[in-house]
Amino acid sequence: MRSRTRARLRWAVLLCCVPWTAQAADDRDERFFARWLAQGNAGSAAAFEAYLQKEGMNKVAPLHQLLRTASAWDSPACRKVQAAPFEVPPEDLWPATVRTLRLVARLREQKVLPAFEVVSAYRNPRVETCADGAGKRHPTGGAFDIVPLLPAELDATVARICDFWWKEGRSYKMGLSLYPSGRMHIDTTSYGTWGADRRFATSACKR
């Protein structure tokens, strides 16, 4: 219990020094999305949205958020691989997207998660590399980076989601990371939790 408290305290201390608004805002808004759709992407996006609707998962988050790639998509490294601001996952990965959306929906229904914004979802392998990602979760189509929009509730949110991970996370193959920026990573690729350096030892959920 003491180690778990220390991990959360380290996370909270780091968080206090990061401007929250910088993390909660993403300029890839609906207008930006509309311009991207007009560049020949409307058909694939509509097919993806229809699949989510068929599975009852089209209301968990707005479509433009679910199609955001890495936040670093416009960095020099990502421009070299022609990263786009949005990308529809390959169709064979759509079930993985739905699987994680079901988990996120449950977290919201149980009030584990407050209001949130999805800031990064599917990343193709080239984008995952240029964004310095971990390499195996976002390319599955079943990973989301989210930012809770109620900073006053952040400590309570961390406690709730860590408790959920310990009690029920294994049954969902839930991957969970809580970064000092306030961003949270959730996936259903494999059970695990880690900190900013990708080690369990630095996870806010470590006991």
Side-chain angles (χ1 to χ4, degrees):
M1 183 62 72
R2 289 182 179 178
S3 62
R4 183 182 182 186
T5 302
R6 285 197 297 270
R8 287 182 178 174
L9 181 59
R10 287 195 300 271
W11 189 82
V13 169
L14 287 168
L15 178 63
C16 77
C17 304
V18 178
W20 182 273
T21 54
Q23 296 301 321
D26 191 303
D27 62 4
R28 293 172 293 174
D29 57 15
E30 291 180 275
R31 289 186 179 182
F32 197 160
F33 184 56
R35 293 196 296 271
W36 178 81
L37 289 176
Q39 295 168 1
N41 301 300
S44 58
F48 179 70
E49 185 175 33
Y51 178 82
L52 296 182
Q53 185 171 7
K54 182 188 73 166
E55 297 294 327
M57 289 290 106
N58 59 313
K59 304 263 184 183
V60 179
L63 181 64
H64 75 281
Q65 293 183 17
L66 295 179
L67 294 182
R68 286 171 173 168
T69 58
S71 298
W73 71 275
D74 198 31
S75 67
C78 287
R79 285 200 295 270
K80 287 181 181 179
V81 299
Q82 299 180 324
F86 307 94
E87 186 170 354
V88 177
E91 190 171 350
D92 62 327
L93 300 182
W94 294 359
T97 302
V98 165
R99 186 168 59 246
T100 304
L101 284 174
R102 292 194 193 284
L103 171 58
V104 172
R106 183 170 184 200
L107 292 171
R108 187 173 62 185
E109 289 164 4
Q110 293 191 346
K111 302 190 185 305
V112 174
L113 279 178
F116 62 86
E117 179 178 354
V118 178
V119 292
S120 183
Y122 171 70
R123 305 172 191 165
N124 70 56
R126 291 178 295 105
V127 173
E128 179 74 349
T129 298
C130 76
D132 194 28
K136 62 181 180 179
R137 295 181 184 262
H138 282 276
T140 68
F144 300 110
D145 286 353
I146 69 174
V147 174
L149 299 180
L150 298 174
E153 297 183 11
L154 188 57
D155 288 344
T157 300
V158 171
R160 289 193 302 266
I161 201 166
C162 284
D163 287 342
F164 182 94
W165 181 84
W166 279 105
K167 293 175 181 175
E168 301 187 48
R170 191 177 295 276
S171 66
Y172 286 94
K173 295 184 178 179
M174 181 180 179
L176 174 66
S177 186
L178 310 167
Y179 296 107
S181 63
R183 180 178 293 207
M184 298 183 178
H185 169 104
I186 298 173
D187 69 69
T188 51
T189 303
S190 61
Y191 181 63
T193 184
W194 60 95
D197 62 359
R198 301 170 187 163
R199 295 186 304 129
F200 174 75
T202 58
S203 171
C205 297
K206 180 184 175 183
R207 289 178 172 171

